[in-house]
Amino acid sequence: MKVVIASDHAGYNLKSRIIEHLRGGGDEVTDLGTDSTESVDYPQYAMEAARAVSSGQADRGILVCGTGLGMCITANKFPGIRAVGPGSSGQAEMSRRHNDANVLCLGERTMDAGLALEIVDVWMETPFDGGRHSRRLDQITDLESVRELE
Ligand code: RB5
């Protein structure tokens, strides 16, 4: 699976751990930065990763910042992106089975690295259930062409 990963300064250390973990398991991981703990603006990194998934250049994206929240808000602005920030491996599993989530957002300052890696594994390995869930995702996708929500 082709995975893009990005972080800001606050997520840099956890991002490095995740890259090492995924590459060790044989995934093709493209690191889109940042490259240090020097302060940067998280939307710039979320945008680049979300664009890669939205355009089909990558199958999945993983984003890390201090909380995972700003990354998630940014990524969800892009067409076809279903970004989630699960707090447990159970939520990570359901985000794949029912929501076909294609971007995973994690917070280095708010989550233990061990749990984060467990969430990454479950999220990467769990397939989408399809069926009735596809109809519901289509309803979400339809919102992308609505200019004004009523
Ligand atoms: C950076 O200080 C912090 O705001 C950022 O990493 C993230 O948590 C934003 O949602």
Side-chain angles (χ1 to χ4, degrees):
M1 195 175 316
K2 281 190 191 170
V3 186
V4 287
I5 187 163
S7 76
D8 69 353
H9 55 287
Y12 173 74
N13 290 310
L14 179 57
K15 179 189 68 150
S16 304
R17 297 264 314 255
I18 295 170
I19 290 171
E20 196 185 323
H21 182 73
L22 289 177
R23 286 186 179 151
D27 284 299
E28 188 186 325
V29 184
T30 303
D31 182 3
L32 299 175
T34 188
D35 301 323
S36 75
T37 54
E38 192 174 324
S39 185
V40 292
D41 295 336
Y42 65 82
Q44 301 304 320
Y45 293 87
M47 282 188 251
E48 206 174 329
R51 242 182 236 119
V53 177
S54 183
S55 67
Q57 285 173 272
D59 303 308
R60 302 271 188 94
I62 298 179
L63 295 169
V64 192
C65 62
T67 59
L69 300 175
M71 290 294 202
C72 213
I73 292 168
T74 310
N76 275 317
K77 300 286 182 194
F78 285 75
I81 294 300
R82 292 176 296 277
V84 292
S88 67
S89 40
Q91 282 190 322
E93 178 189 342
M94 296 315 291
S95 80
R96 288 289 314 133
R97 289 184 53 193
H98 285 196
N99 312 118
D100 198 16
N102 50 15
V103 173
L104 174 67
C105 305
L106 295 166
E108 179 178 326
R109 291 174 177 164
T110 54
M111 185 177 283
D112 171 77
L115 175 59
L117 293 179
E118 192 182 307
I119 284 174
V120 167
D121 282 342
V122 170
W123 189 77
M124 288 293 290
E125 287 160 15
T126 306
F128 176 47
D129 282 356
R132 66 187 186 282
H133 303 294
S134 299
R135 183 181 70 241
R136 294 163 186 168
L137 294 186
D138 287 346
Q139 291 169 20
I140 296 174
T141 304
D142 286 349
L143 290 173
E144 291 171 2
S145 52
V146 175
R147 288 182 192 279
E148 281 181 46
L149 297 178
E150 290 168 12

